[in-house]
């Protein structure tokens, strides 16, 4: 069983999906040699992608040469996306890759737990209740037992629950608990079939002015118990300072809009000791042996490698090869498996780069389906005079092999072709943590070996077996696809295994506001040439779908066809999922292929079950035409169209009394009063529209950064009140108010199956003209009555609501639609 673990651990060191091959220059090789000669490690722990202090990660990796990693408990799936439409799981996938891109720059490694970023949480108690605390703790322990850090550094303070996101405080609390649990054989004993217990030496909290009331307060605070050091160091070998590397790394968080401009010069970081022994100096590695001497059989290796470091030639790195190979042989004899595996990977990378080797396996197509055959072009070249022989190349997963047994002479390119037959049982290329639907704040990962890994290990790869003057070394390369882009030049992307057909509905949700049937279209895209078959839809009972099936035929790979079914809903309110099945030669397919392609990260494939949520609503509505002012972005307009409204998106700069008169309601998108500058001048036009008989519905805004103070006809104070428990009890404060009774009678049932939260940024005080409609609160909090407040103003109505309609509509929550219809219908 131990062997499994070591296999797993190799994955940590591979840049598996990095698109372009890594090509180290002489300075970088030297830096790698220094890292090979340093046997200490640091694990930085936070909750989200972007929590990590890239300055510190880069400092430990590039200045101290320590093995450095960031453990982010979540993949950041709950955040917002500033570069595209992807949200939730797909955003988590982008942010995972952004962290990997950041680590490629700052030299760190990356780990995650199975915890899901479910959205904002006020306290660690709430966070740890939504996550499965034991599972997340187990994952932190697992990463510590495998990575074996000497030093752990927490981004957050474990002593200040409630002062920041609950995920943040939880990351610090779990880190400290894991510090002890990792060493305790009674904790998570099932892990010990794969790894062993481990005791880190010390843990710190990486404090900064962020945790004080500003820079000044931090400057004045006593720092007696902190250790501190200057991370503003300059690396002449790289031509960059540590803060410059850190900014480049941080700027990879593009979906967050974290572009960061470099700074230079002194930058002090502070670490507060919180666990383990105390030290006298400012060096976190004090009293920790970080040399080869710490290992049985290591002293001799250390001597050789010190010599390599001292005699390193920046103009001829290959001159180190004989000594490096001596060290390599000794490393193979190390009795300590952890260090043997780790240092083997590191020294192989150095040997590879020192010989100027280039090894590549390029598929003739970007993707293939199971049972397909593709041609793989192999290339090998040695750019040194060192005698290297290419003995054989094996392809995985089907083990086809060639044995050229050819001497790779200096700068003579070797190329060959080999067929890869993809076995029928090969799984599709998709993130391992998204294979099963996540539950209760946790991703489900059945394969223990994958837990902690940033991404799915590539299963399509080529193993090049080489002989370096009678020392055998093999190098694994993922099979890639590349093409020439007329603008960007040589472009790499991962080679992917995809289904024969991808089935994609046009919408995620279709709402039936009455018993009339609707047309449902599904697009079929082929994953290989010449497929034909039939496709059918299935749904819950009482739903009627015609015809029974459609035949389809697709000649070219990547071509698509759209077929349409007629779906009739039941008489009464009901929800179900429609599942498509395509049958090709007796094989069934019901997946959807999603591709995510941005320049700063490798192209990502996601294969998920295809499904369409349909809901039959018992909904009455008044009014027809709605004007919508888009804010930070939501799908409310499309959702209102689904229930039969006509929606015009308004250009705020050109609205006037006359142009608004025709609308039955004007709705402001989420955070419109934070993001739409033109509302500074036009909010009064909207309020006058209300006075003259209009109906204005304002969705949530944050109280910081409002474009105008004139948000309401009557006094109203926005607050940070929110109800994050989506199942929180909803009490009716004004049962007979038309908003709860007309045209739809709203009941408790309308608040069933809400997702993520009830709402956010509720007003916490308002003038008496307003009627608060609903009351709700999170556990152990006072009632919050500002989620939906209504005031009559002139002839019309002004409605302010922090309820999260924008989260409920995309998943088809019936009650959210019914309540919104009442808001639009008021006064009619
Ligand atoms: Zn965070």
């Amino acid at each position: 069983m131990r062997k499994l673990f070591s296999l797993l651990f190799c994955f940590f060191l591979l840049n598996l999906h990095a698109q372009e091959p890594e090509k180290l220059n002489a300075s970088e090789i030297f830096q790698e040699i220094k890292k090979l000669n340093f046997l200490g490690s640091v694990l930085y722990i936070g909750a989200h992608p972007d929590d990590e202090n890239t300055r510190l990660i880069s400092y430990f990796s590039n200045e101290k040469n320590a093995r450095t990693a960031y453990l982010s408990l979540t993949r950041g799936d709950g955040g917002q996306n500033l570069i595209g439409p992807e949200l939730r799981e797909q955003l988590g996938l982008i942010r995972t890759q952004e962290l990997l891109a950041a680590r490629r720059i700052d030299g760190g490694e990356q780990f995650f737990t199975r915890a899901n970023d479910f959205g904002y949480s006020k306290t660690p108690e709430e966070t740890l209740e939504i996550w499965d605390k034991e599972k997340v703790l187990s994952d932190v322990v697992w990463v510590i037992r495998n990575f074996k850090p000497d030093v752990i550094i927490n981004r957050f303070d474990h002593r200040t629950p409630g002062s920041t996101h609950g995920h943040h405080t939880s990351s610090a609390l779990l880190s400290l608990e894991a510090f002890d649990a990792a060493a305790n054989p009674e904790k998570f004993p099932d892990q010990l079939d794969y790894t062993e217990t481990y005791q880190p030496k010390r843990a710190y909290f990486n404090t900064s002015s962020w945790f004080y009331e500003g820079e000044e307060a931090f400057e004045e605070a006593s720092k007696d118990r902190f250790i501190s050091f200057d991370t503003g160091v300059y690396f002449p070998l790289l031509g960059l300072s540590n803060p410059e590397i850190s900014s480049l790394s941080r700027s990879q968080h593009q979906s967050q809009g974290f572009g960061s401009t470099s700074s230079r010069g002194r930058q002090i970081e502070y670490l507060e000791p919180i666990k383990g022994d105390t030290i006298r100096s400012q060096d976190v590695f004090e009293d920790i042996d970080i040399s080869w001497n710490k290992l049985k059989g290591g002293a001799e290796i250390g001597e050789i490698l010190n010599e390599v470091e001292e005699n390193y030639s920046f103009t001829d790195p290959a001159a180190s090869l004989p000594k490096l190979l001596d060290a390599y042989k000794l490393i193979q004899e190390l009795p300590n498996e952890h260090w043997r595996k780790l240092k083997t990977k590191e020294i192989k990378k150095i040997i590879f780069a020192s010989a100027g080797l280039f090894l590549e396996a390029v598929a003739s197509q970007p993707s293939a389906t199971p049972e397909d055959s593709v041609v793989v072009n192999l290339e090998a070249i040695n750019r040194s005079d060192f005698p290297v022989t290419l003995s054989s190349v094996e392809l995985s997963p089907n083990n086809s092999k060639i044995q050229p047994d050819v001497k790779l002479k200096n700068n003579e390119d070797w190329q060959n072709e080999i067929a890869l037959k993809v076995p029928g049982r090969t799984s599709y290329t998709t993130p391992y943590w998204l294979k099963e639907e996540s539950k209760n704040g946790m991703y489900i990962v059945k394969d223990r070996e994958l837990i902690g890994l940033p991404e799915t290990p590539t299963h399509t790869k080529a193993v090049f077996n080489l002989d370096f003057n009678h020392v055998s070394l093999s190098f694994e390369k993922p099979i890639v696809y590349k093409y020439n882009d007329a603008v960007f030049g040589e472009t790499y992307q991962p080679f992917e295994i995809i289904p024969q057909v991808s089935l994609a509905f046009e919408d995620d949700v279709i709402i039936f506001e009455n018993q009339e049937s609707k047309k449902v279209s599904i697009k079929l895209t082929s994953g290989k040439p010449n497929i034909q078959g039939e496709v059918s839809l299935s749904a819950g009972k009482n739903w009627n779908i015609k015809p029974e099936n459609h035949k389809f035929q697709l000649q070219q790979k990547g071509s698509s066809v759209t077929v349409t079914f007629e779906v009739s809903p039941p008489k009464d309110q009901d929800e179900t999922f429609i599942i498509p099945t395509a049958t090709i030669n007796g094989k069934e397919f019901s997946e959807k292929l999603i591709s995510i392609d941005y320049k700063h990260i490798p192209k990502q494939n996601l294969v998920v079950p295809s499904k369409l949520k349909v809901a039959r609503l018992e909904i009455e509505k008044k009014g027809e035409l709605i004007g919508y002012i888009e804010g930070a972005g939501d799908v409310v307009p499309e959702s209102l169209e689904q229930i039969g409204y006509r929606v015009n998106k308004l250009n705020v700069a050109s609205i006037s009394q006359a142009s608004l008169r025709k609308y039955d309601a004007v709705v402001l998108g989420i955070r419109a009063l934070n993001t739409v500058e033109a509302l500074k001048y036009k909010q009064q036009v909207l309020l006058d529209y209300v006075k003259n008989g209009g109906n204005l519905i304002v969705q949530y805004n944050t109280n910081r950064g409002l474009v105008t103070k004139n948000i309401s006809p009557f006094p109203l104070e926005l607050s940070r009140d929110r109800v994050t428990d989506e199942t929180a009890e909803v009490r009716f404060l004004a049962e007979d108010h038309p908003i709860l009774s007309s045209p739809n009678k709203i009941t408790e049932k309308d608040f069933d199956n809400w997702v993520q939260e009830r709402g956010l940024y509720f007003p916490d005080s308002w003038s008496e003209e307003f009627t608060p409609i609903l009351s709700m609160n999170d556990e152990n909090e006072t009632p919050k009555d500002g989620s939906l407040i209504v005031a009559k103003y002139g002839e019309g109505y002004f409605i302010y609501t922090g309820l999260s309609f924008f989260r409920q509509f995309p998943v088809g929550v019936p009650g959210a639609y019914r309540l919104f219809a009442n808001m639009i219908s008021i006064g009619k």
Side-chain angles (χ1 to χ4, degrees), residues 337-562:
E337 188 180 18
H338 170 71
W339 287 104
R340 187 174 69 242
K341 298 287 176 190
L342 188 61
K343 291 297 170 186
T344 295
K345 280 287 163 193
E346 289 180 15
I347 198 168
K348 274 171 69 178
K349 184 175 170 185
I350 295 167
I351 291 169
F352 184 90
S354 300
L357 272 175
F358 178 87
L359 303 173
E360 194 167 76
V362 181
S364 56
Q365 298 175 37
S367 61
T369 66
E371 289 176 357
D372 253 5
S373 251
V374 276
V375 173
V376 175
N377 195 305
L378 302 170
E379 184 178 356
I381 189 166
N382 166 20
R383 271 88 51 101
S384 75
D385 285 325
F386 196 88
V388 178
T389 301
L390 176 63
S391 319
S392 63
V393 188
E394 294 167 73
L395 290 193
S396 182
N398 77 339
N399 295 325
S400 54
K401 185 174 179 179
I402 52 168
Q403 289 171 285
D405 206 17
V406 60
K407 284 204 167 64
L408 297 177
K409 290 194 190 125
N410 191 350
N411 214 26
E412 279 185 21
D413 200 28
W414 174 90
Q415 291 199 28
N416 210 330
E417 277 180 0
I418 182 170
L420 171 73
K421 172 124 178 36
V422 182
R425 63 189 148 69
T426 309
S427 48
Y428 302 133
T429 308
T430 198
Y432 72 85
W433 65 96
L434 298 179
K435 282 191 174 168
E436 312 262 334
E437 212 159 317
S438 67
K439 269 201 200 99
N440 307 331
M442 298 294 295
Y443 286 117
I444 297 167
V445 179
K446 294 229 166 108
D447 189 347
R448 143 145 316 277
E449 293 173 76
L450 297 174
I451 291 174
L453 296 185
E455 57 183 346
T456 317
T458 305
H459 48 268
T460 47
K461 57 196 170 195
V463 181
F464 292 81
N465 299 310
L466 291 110
D467 180 285
F468 284 71
N469 207 12
H470 308 301
V471 183
S472 301
L473 286 175
S474 27
F475 295 94
E476 242 179 54
K477 297 285 164 188
I479 296 176
V480 293
Y481 175 71
K482 67 176 179 183
Y483 60 95
N484 186 63
D485 182 287
V487 175
F488 297 104
E490 187 175 58
T491 304
Y492 280 85
Q493 64 185 53
F495 171 69
E496 289 155 340
I497 306 300
I498 61 172
Q500 288 188 28
V501 65
S502 161
L503 303 156
F505 287 107
E506 263 173 16
D507 306 282
D508 294 327
V509 178
I510 295 183
I511 303 294
F512 293 76
E513 81 274 20
N514 52 39
Q515 224 189 321
E516 272 172 41
S517 66
K518 285 195 178 186
K519 290 201 179 349
V520 169
S521 296
I522 186 163
K523 185 173 166 187
L524 288 75
T525 306
S526 73
K528 61 181 286 185
N530 296 321
I531 56 166
Q532 52 182 316
E534 55 185 49
V535 59
S536 61
L537 303 185
S538 65
K541 67 175 173 29
N542 306 328
W543 291 76
N544 206 317
I545 299 171
K546 279 192 225 161
E548 207 166 295
N549 59 54
H550 279 289
K551 297 216 177 328
F552 67 89
Q553 190 169 13
L554 290 164
Q555 248 133 36
Q556 268 158 18
K557 179 172 171 171
S559 61
S560 36
V561 64
T562 298

Side-chain angles (χ1 to χ4, degrees), residues 549-736:
N549 59 54
H550 279 289
K551 297 216 177 328
F552 67 89
Q553 190 169 13
L554 290 164
Q555 248 133 36
Q556 268 158 18
K557 179 172 171 171
S559 61
S560 36
V561 64
T562 298
V563 297
T564 303
F565 292 85
E566 178 104 15
V567 175
S568 309
K571 194 163 121 298
D572 301 324
Q573 187 149 314
D574 191 29
E575 300 167 58
T576 187
F577 283 102
I578 295 183
I579 310 289
T581 305
T583 311
I584 302 170
N585 291 332
K587 272 211 174 82
E588 294 190 340
F589 299 89
S590 47
E591 293 90 6
K592 173 164 85 163
L593 173 68
I594 300 167
S595 285
I596 299 176
D597 200 1
Y598 290 102
K599 272 269 163 270
H600 65 305
I601 55 173
K603 180 167 175 270
Q604 296 295 302
N605 240 15
L606 185 58
V607 179
V608 295
S610 179
K611 60 183 183 181
L612 167 69
K613 167 90 183 270
V614 285
R616 160 79 170 101
L617 300 191
E618 283 172 32
I619 189 169
E620 298 286 329
K621 53 190 201 306
K622 292 180 181 160
E624 275 170 19
L625 185 61
I626 293 169
Y628 203 86
I629 295 174
E630 286 181 288
D634 55 63
V635 295
V636 174
E638 293 75 10
S639 305
L640 295 177
E641 281 171 350
Q642 287 247 11
I643 56 170
Y645 285 109
R646 283 187 297 132
V647 183
N648 290 351
K649 292 186 182 170
L650 304 180
N651 175 4
V652 176
S654 62
I655 59 173
S656 66
Q657 275 321 299
S659 73
L660 292 181
R661 202 167 296 142
K662 62 183 175 192
Y663 292 108
D664 293 304
V666 172
V667 181
L668 263 56
I670 58 168
R671 297 201 288 122
L673 288 163
N674 296 121
T675 58
V676 183
E677 278 295 323
L679 280 173
K680 191 174 191 170
Y681 310 104
K682 294 291 189 174
Q683 179 71 0
Q684 191 54 46
V685 178
L686 292 174
L687 298 181
D688 291 343
Y689 155 76
V690 176
K691 199 174 183 178
N692 296 329
N695 177 4
L696 181 64
I697 300 170
V698 182
Q699 299 181 82
Y700 95 89
N701 293 278
T702 62
N703 52 7
R704 263 187 269 175
L706 288 164
V707 297
T708 170
K709 288 200 169 100
N710 183 27
I711 62 172
S712 157
F714 307 112
L716 167 71
E717 289 297 326
L718 300 184
S719 75
R720 296 177 61 81
D721 283 353
R722 59 202 296 167
V723 175
T724 52
D725 178 0
E726 69 274 22
T727 65
E729 183 203 2
V730 178
R731 299 170 295 269
F732 295 176
L733 298 174
E735 189 118 25
D736 299 327

Side-chain angles (χ1 to χ4, degrees), residues 46-52 70 74 95 117 155-156 164-165 167-168 210 256:
H48 306 115
D50 81 10
D51 286 345
E52 85 276 24
Y70 174 43
T74 76
R95 293 182 68 184
D117 177 6
R155 167 76 283 187
F156 298 102
T164 176
H165 199 318
H167 297 176
H168 290 164
W210 198 79
Q256 300 266 87

